[in-house]
Amino acid sequence: MAKDVETWFSNLDPAQREIAESLRARIQLAGPDLTCKLAWGFPCWSGRERIFSIAAHKDRCNLQLFYGAELAPSHPARIEGTGKALRHVKIRSLDEVDEGLDRIIEDAIRLDTAHPRRVR
């Protein structure tokens, strides 16, 4: 298990790393003041509370959204899952890291700024 964020990214297979690095760049562009550290073995970004994490799977990366249940009605074609709060977007290729995903990222940051909710 990685001991820091950079090691987590460097330990990924090349295809996963490409997607994960693209997700990281989009998050950092939208939220330059967010902090990132490992939590539960994944890189997690926080503003007032936790907002995002990236989970690598064999065939994809998931952008995990801690405000996902609140965001899902506005982005039903992209946000998946049934968790009480946590939902995710599956990213199987760089083509899926697009303007629609940027809107989800921006909306999640806005929710954290306006209505932060502690992750349990």
Side-chain angles (χ1 to χ4, degrees):
M1 181 180 273
K3 295 189 185 246
D4 61 59
V5 172
E6 292 309 317
T7 302
W8 186 88
F9 279 93
S10 68
N11 286 342
L12 296 175
D13 290 334
Q16 293 171 321
R17 186 177 317 119
E18 190 175 37
I19 293 169
E21 290 285 4
S22 182
L23 290 170
R24 174 164 64 169
R26 297 292 182 115
I27 291 168
Q28 290 174 331
L29 184 63
D33 297 327
L34 300 180
T35 60
C36 182
K37 66 180 184 176
L38 286 185
W40 303 295
F42 303 104
C44 291
W45 285 263
S46 300
R48 295 176 75 183
E49 296 294 339
R50 286 202 176 105
I51 307 171
F52 310 104
S53 67
I54 297 175
H57 298 274
K58 184 178 180 179
D59 64 337
R60 68 183 187 278
C61 287
N62 282 0
L63 177 63
Q64 299 184 142
L65 304 162
F66 289 94
Y67 293 92
E70 291 175 64
L71 295 167
S74 299
H75 306 278
R78 298 291 297 269
I79 297 175
E80 300 179 40
T82 58
K84 185 175 178 180
L86 185 71
R87 305 285 173 93
H88 61 273
V89 177
K90 292 179 183 172
I91 308 295
R92 291 183 176 85
S93 73
L94 286 178
D95 293 342
E96 295 176 358
V97 182
D98 57 13
E99 290 177 7
L101 189 63
D102 289 340
R103 283 189 292 279
I104 293 170
I105 291 168
E106 291 163 3
D107 289 351
I109 293 170
R110 266 193 294 279
L111 270 175
D112 180 68
T113 301
H115 305 287
R117 186 178 6 88
R118 187 157 180 80
V119 176
R120 300 191 203 295

